[in-house]
Amino acid sequence: MAIPKKSKTSGDVTVKKSSPDTKTPAHLTHYTDLAGLKGIIENNELWLSHAAFLNDPQELEHGVEQTKKVLNNLLDGKAVEPTATARQKLIKDIADDMENFERPAAYIVCFCERSDILSQWRGYASRQGVSITFKMSGLRSCFSELDAELLQVAYGINEAKRHLRTAIAEKFPDIVDDFDYMLGTEEDDAIRRKFKDLLATLVPRFKHYGFREEQEWRLVVRNPPIDKLKFRPRGQLMLPYLELKSKNKKLPISAVRIGPGVNDEAVEKSIRFFLETCGYDPDLVETSSTPYRT
């Protein structure tokens, strides 16, 4: 099965689905707190955090570990022909590279396909959570300052392996096909560098199966210019992030949902007033139907 092709028009964010059969959602939702809502609305932008500093630092390791397993599977067969022997050595060199694989400089903001998920509200149990729902078409067209991609997350080991095998077969036939390898003109070092580049695009897309409820998509910018980086303190860390500004006057927001908490009526009234003051329709505000209380 071929890798899904990029779906993009001039100036649009690239959208990559986890499968060609996946239906692209009409809306995506970002979960945050009141401070996050204020910053997004007033500054007309989204903040993208460095992937190495996500709440779960093991997320990137999941993709790296699955890559190692796929490469080891490719090494299982015995090489009898000279080209096959050379190919196996190349794969082994790439597998060895994975031991010191440099995690990609990817900056990410996360979205879910659903706007009222209990596990997400629990993440904001110590403060008032809100979810901001965006029109997918608007997300694709309003960010053009940096080269961004909107990636659907693939959950579980089997999905990660399927993506990796497909990517290797499509992008590197010289690794999996003896004849192509024999006729190839590229040096092994060049192939290894390109393989690392490929992994940098794939690793942020993989997540443990236990998180599948989120139905997550990620807006990703890789290797941004150094002068675009900002930093903010969190605990003992200085977290790098990007400000991704909309080229439109308003963000493509279709709903703002108030997460479960205390004094919901007062919270709703204050958010409606805030949105109206910022030029958004106050009727965008909804309340959570989740029976969870802090």
Side-chain angles (χ1 to χ4, degrees):
M1 180 176 61
I3 289 180
K5 300 297 183 182
K6 291 183 179 181
S7 174
K8 183 175 183 178
T9 58
S10 178
D12 278 359
V13 170
T14 300
V15 174
K16 292 182 179 178
K17 299 185 292 184
S18 62
S19 168
D21 300 327
T22 302
K23 184 178 179 181
T24 303
H27 299 86
L28 289 175
T29 297
H30 176 65
Y31 287 80
T32 185
D33 56 17
L34 292 179
L37 173 67
K38 180 178 185 293
I40 289 169
I41 296 291
E42 289 186 342
N43 299 319
N44 201 34
E45 66 187 16
L46 296 174
W47 283 12
L48 281 64
S49 300
H50 194 298
F53 298 95
L54 294 174
N55 291 336
D56 182 1
Q58 295 302 311
E59 286 189 14
L60 289 180
E61 302 307 314
H62 180 73
V64 174
E65 289 304 313
Q66 300 320 309
T67 303
K68 292 178 182 178
K69 291 178 182 179
V70 170
L71 291 172
N72 287 331
N73 287 341
L74 289 174
L75 288 169
D76 284 344
K78 292 183 178 180
V80 293
E81 297 295 331
T83 52
T85 301
R87 183 195 66 175
Q88 292 290 80
K89 180 181 182 304
L90 173 61
I91 296 173
K92 185 178 185 306
D93 287 343
I94 291 173
D96 291 342
D97 290 342
M98 290 302 300
E99 296 301 322
N100 298 305
F101 177 65
E102 185 177 351
R103 278 45 176 173
Y107 289 77
I108 294 171
V109 62
C110 301
F111 301 88
C112 298
E113 292 189 22
R114 294 162 51 206
S115 64
D116 198 6
I117 305 175
L118 177 57
S119 60
Q120 294 297 306
W121 295 134
R122 282 177 171 158
Y124 296 96
S126 62
R127 53 201 190 278
Q128 180 59 60
V130 294
S131 68
I132 310 171
T133 300
F134 299 87
K135 298 175 184 176
M136 170 68 93
S137 59
L139 280 177
R140 292 192 59 192
S141 62
C142 71
F143 299 112
S144 58
E145 181 184 2
L146 296 170
D147 189 13
E149 296 178 313
L150 194 56
L151 310 177
Q152 185 178 21
V153 171
Y155 294 97
I157 293 174
N158 290 337
E159 278 295 291
K161 288 181 177 179
R162 180 179 66 81
H163 274 272
L164 286 163
R165 289 194 187 100
T166 303
I168 292 171
E170 173 140 322
K171 299 294 184 181
F172 296 93
D174 40 7
I175 290 178
V176 296
D177 188 297
D178 293 345
F179 185 70
D180 280 344
Y181 185 82
M182 181 174 63
L183 296 179
T185 58
E186 287 189 292
E187 297 292 334
D188 285 1
D189 286 347
I191 295 174
R192 289 162 67 178
R193 285 195 300 272
K194 288 185 177 181
F195 192 87
K196 288 182 181 179
D197 291 341
L198 173 66
L199 292 183
T201 70
L202 291 172
V203 164
R205 301 187 65 177
F206 302 139
K207 205 166 182 178
H208 192 278
Y209 188 72
F211 296 99
R212 64 193 182 281
E213 174 195 46
E214 298 169 356
Q215 296 178 284
E216 186 176 333
W217 290 69
R218 291 176 168 179
L219 187 62
V220 180
V221 173
R222 295 187 187 84
N223 302 312
I226 194 73
D227 62 352
K228 295 292 185 182
L229 299 184
K230 306 279 187 177
F231 290 85
R232 56 191 173 94
R234 189 181 73 184
Q236 296 176 310
L237 302 177
M238 290 296 292
L239 301 182
Y241 72 96
L242 283 176
E243 296 174 349
L244 194 60
K245 292 186 176 293
S246 172
K247 64 183 180 183
N248 302 324
K249 291 183 177 180
K250 291 195 297 184
L251 291 164
I253 297 174
S254 59
V256 175
R257 186 181 293 272
I258 301 169
V262 296
N263 205 354
D264 291 346
E265 185 175 344
V267 174
E268 179 179 353
K269 183 177 180 179
S270 69
I271 292 178
R272 283 179 175 273
F273 186 41
F274 169 69
L275 289 178
E276 186 173 21
T277 301
C278 294
Y280 288 85
D281 184 354
D283 289 337
L284 293 175
V285 177
E286 304 171 351
T287 56
S288 171
S289 60
T290 302
Y292 170 75
R293 288 294 181 267
T294 57

